Amino acid sequence: MDGLVSGSDQSEWFPFCVIINLNFPGFFRTQAEVQDTFMTYTVYDDVITLKLIQEACKILDVSEDVVLKLFGEYFFTFCKMSGYDRMLRTLGGNLTEFIENLDALHSYLALSYQEMNAPSFRVEKRTDGAMLLHYYSDRRGLYHIVPGIIESVARDFFNSEVTMEILTQSEEKERTGEKEHVIFLVQQKAKRPKRKTKKTTNPESGDSHKDKEKALDVAFQTTKENYSALSCCPEKKSHWDIVKSVVKFGKGNLSHTFDPVYPERLWVEERTFCNAFPFHIVFDEELRIKQAGVNIQKFVPGLRRPGGRVDKYFTVVHPQVTFTIFSIRKFINSQFVLRAHREMLPDSRRNQPMLKLRGQMIWMESIQCMMYLCSPKLRSLEELEEQKMYISDIAQHDTTRDLILLNQQRLAEIELSNQLERKKEELRILSKNLEAEKKKTETLLYSMLPKHVANLLKEGKKVEAGEFNSCTILFSDIVTFTNICSACEPIQIVNMLNSMYSKFDRLTSVHNVYKVETIGDAYMVVGGVPVPIASHAIRVANFALGMRTAAREVMNPITGEPIQIRVGIHTGPVLAGVVGEKMPRYCLFGDTVNTASRMESHGLPNKIHLSPTAFRYLQNQGFEIVERGEIEVKGKGKMTTYILRQNLYATENEIMGRAEKQHSSHTDQMEADALGNLASKTIAVMKYADSQQLLTSSSLAYGFYSAIFCAAPMCPCLVGSCCSQVVTDQQQYDPGSQRMQT
């Protein structure tokens, strides 16, 4: 039974000997620090089981004995559902016989599962009708499973209720070391069938009185007929035997006893007996050999000389007890496995596997001797050949002949099952690794293209260009970048750009803006594309402030001082689409792109240059903005531009996405994941009033290229009218919290 909880998944066998996977939820396995999966037919250490049980006790706040008992009850049900209901029901006609034959079942299963470490059971009947169940195991701490299984067996198979109580628990020293010995008091009570309610009758009624007299007459007549039938018996019986026979002869027998008839003498010759049972040994209380079968003498020649001690030739392998008559009689109902000593075998057999015998010990009280009636313990035809034996060496009446042939097929099925499960586990691991690699590939792809665009391309669909009525574009470059390149090694330039762009890429997840591309030292970002969002200008402005702060952490390889960047921002309509097939890129087209680039090229070092349109979007939104004045812009003529200095209400940590005391919410993390950026797992996403709107829009992004976006601008601007209500009607953003207020 305690073999059950070693952690494997051999759930098809009975719990007393089976190794099973404990199907605890993943949470229990994680807390107990055990692996996620278990292989069938693989033996695992009991430590795994005990860890799971201890963790379950902590979480459920119950004791270990309660968990183990419930586990035993459940596993018995699980065994029946696994197809072993009939095998278990045939072990015995009552609970006592069932328990007495458990060791025999273990011995049979050991033919297929050599590593099985099953306990042993011994039943001791008491005069008051109760019984003592002795449980022996060298695996400690699992005996509480016994009541759960035995009570379930009694209730299901024998329609009776059983109560079990632990009387003693001790350690007994045996040949293989200390074994746990637990004695259970088992009291069995049969279930009483429900009585049918009888109709009440009037006691004064004459009909009721006549019915009683008639019933008594029938009972008396039946007893008289039974007694008359017994009077013909030629042998003389006592009065008690006659009464007992009458009761047993009736329809409702109280006892199902059978009295066998034994001959006065044994009608078998000694030679015939030794040939009919070629593998048997008879020895006395001092273990002196009296006789042995003919074939066992052939393989262990020393048995030809009676008088030697049997423990000189053999060792008890199962049950693991000392080789004494007292120990053997304690486990008289168990099947015994003996192994021959190598030095007692002929020289020609000493290099072969040790001979093992499996059989039954029978105590002969009249002559005070023990007979070991056995057969060779062989699992397959290969082992038969290794022992240089033949099927003919086994008696024809011995079922070992059939077991070897049947088990050969069973072992082949087990090996096939093992191969299939190993392949299944390999496929599971490969699938898991493939999924991890797929996520890496998708992450890389989503960093190059918008997520919904990438998904359309993966499905082989054509990506149509889409028009966005309002978005905000940002360009930045490094001041004196040409001079730096001329004075530095190429690797220094690469390291500087990589450090700067990594910081900028992280900021795109903080404010959920889309990085379009980088060309040399130029960095291009857009807000409101590919997913339209009302706060695109605010997000890009905060991103620009974060860029300026991050650039201070990147050093000029020539001077060793922080580099200086120029930033230009413009807001307006664009056309967006995927260009190319071999290396497709998501590009923006329109005059808005040119104007944003001009704002950057006409900007000042460490300044954020705003176009008039961008200024109108950011006005009264909590930013400090100063007018630069009217300047000549190439290709645009004279323009009044502005300088963005700071966000008056957002802290530097919020703009930079640095996690403070409290962690970002689940919604914030989902917002950062909208662009598929891995850095979202390590940043604090800045909150905006339309963050939830962005999540909803991202989930519907497959259709964002439709005409809906062309007809419904998403920003409060002079260009669009549909969404202008977002900031009109006395609705304004609260600059301090970046939330919309009425």
Side-chain angles (χ1 to χ4, degrees), residues 305-505:
R305 297 183 297 274
R309 289 177 60 89
V310 67
D311 57 350
K312 178 181 178 182
Y313 298 95
F314 296 96
T315 299
V316 179
V317 176
H318 180 82
Q320 297 177 349
V321 297
T322 54
F323 209 147
T324 63
I325 291 294
F326 176 76
S327 297
I328 293 174
R329 293 187 66 179
K330 281 201 306 183
F331 294 90
I332 198 68
N333 292 318
S334 302
Q335 285 198 350
F336 280 75
V337 177
L338 303 187
R339 182 178 61 209
H341 293 161
R342 189 178 297 275
E343 61 273 12
M344 295 299 163
L345 299 178
D347 294 338
S348 60
R349 297 182 58 85
R350 291 188 179 181
N351 295 328
Q352 300 172 6
M354 287 291 91
L355 173 66
K356 291 184 180 180
L357 303 174
R358 178 177 63 90
Q360 177 185 8
M361 292 287 185
I362 302 174
W363 175 248
M364 297 176 288
E365 185 68 29
S366 60
I367 60 175
Q368 295 292 297
C369 286
M370 186 73 72
M371 179 171 66
Y372 181 47
L373 197 59
C374 58
S375 302
K377 187 176 184 293
L378 302 172
R379 301 172 64 244
S380 62
L381 295 176
E382 286 77 11
E383 292 187 2
L384 186 73
E385 294 175 346
E386 289 174 355
Q387 293 290 345
K388 294 185 177 180
M389 289 186 180
Y390 301 93
I391 294 291
S392 59
D393 291 329
I394 304 173
Q396 293 188 6
H397 62 79
D398 194 341
T399 57
T400 303
R401 299 162 62 106
D402 300 327
L403 283 177
I404 293 174
L405 298 175
L406 292 174
N407 201 52
Q408 180 71 23
Q409 180 180 0
R410 171 64 179 165
L411 291 176
E413 293 174 354
I414 291 177
E415 179 59 27
L416 178 60
S417 178
N418 283 334
Q419 292 179 5
L420 291 175
E421 186 158 8
R422 284 194 294 267
K423 292 296 183 183
K424 179 181 176 182
E425 180 65 14
E426 291 175 2
L427 288 175
R428 188 192 68 81
I429 296 174
L430 288 175
S431 177
K432 185 177 180 180
N433 294 337
L434 179 62
E435 187 66 25
E437 294 299 324
K438 181 181 177 182
K439 288 183 178 180
K440 292 179 182 178
T441 303
E442 289 180 347
T443 301
L444 179 61
L445 181 61
Y446 295 155
S447 66
M448 299 172 61
L449 294 170
K451 186 173 183 179
H452 53 278
V453 174
N455 290 335
L456 288 173
L457 292 176
K458 285 196 302 182
E459 296 173 3
K461 297 180 181 179
K462 185 178 180 181
V463 181
E464 300 291 342
E467 182 181 353
F468 295 83
N469 289 344
S470 183
C471 67
T472 300
I473 298 177
L474 175 148
F475 277 95
S476 73
D477 72 344
I478 300 176
V479 178
T480 66
F481 181 71
T482 304
N483 297 335
I484 295 175
C485 291
S486 62
C488 295
E489 295 292 332
I491 189 62
Q492 292 178 301
I493 303 300
V494 171
N495 291 336
M496 179 188 69
L497 292 177
N498 182 61
S499 175
M500 182 180 68
Y501 288 162
S502 296
K503 298 178 186 298
F504 292 173
D505 291 345

Side-chain angles (χ1 to χ4, degrees), residues 18 28 61 88 153 176 192 321 342 364 390 427 433 614 643:
V18 179
F28 285 90
D61 194 21
L88 300 176
V153 169
T176 57
R192 296 182 179 179
V321 297
R342 189 178 297 275
M364 297 176 288
Y390 301 93
L427 288 175
N433 294 337
I643 300 297

Side-chain angles (χ1 to χ4, degrees), residues 1-6 8-21 41 71-92 95 97-110 113 116-119 121 133 135 139 145-154 156-158 410:
M1 174 190 58
D2 53 0
L4 138 84
V5 287
S6 63
S8 172
D9 194 18
Q10 295 178 357
S11 54
E12 57 187 27
W13 299 116
F14 192 66
F16 292 127
C17 58
V18 179
I19 303 168
I20 181 176
N21 169 26
Y41 308 115
F71 178 77
E73 293 177 359
Y74 168 77
F75 186 71
F76 171 69
T77 304
F78 183 78
C79 286
K80 292 195 303 175
M81 293 188 299
S82 300
Y84 289 87
D85 180 70
R86 180 174 296 178
M87 175 186 291
L88 300 176
R89 288 183 185 274
T90 57
L91 283 183
L95 185 61
E97 295 176 353
F98 180 91
I99 299 174
E100 288 177 341
N101 284 276
L102 282 176
D103 284 7
L105 177 61
H106 295 164
S107 179
Y108 165 74
L109 296 178
Y113 306 99
M116 187 174 63
N117 186 9
F121 297 90
L133 173 60
Y135 164 86
R139 302 163 67 184
I145 299 178
V146 178
I149 297 178
I150 296 299
E151 291 177 9
S152 299
V153 169
D156 191 280
F157 287 174
F158 307 111
R410 171 64 179 165

Side-chain angles (χ1 to χ4, degrees), residues 232-247:
C232 300
C233 183
E235 59 180 323
K236 186 176 180 180
K237 293 187 177 182
S238 64
H239 296 291
W240 170 245
D241 290 335
I242 294 175
V243 173
K244 184 171 65 174
S245 300
V246 171
V247 175

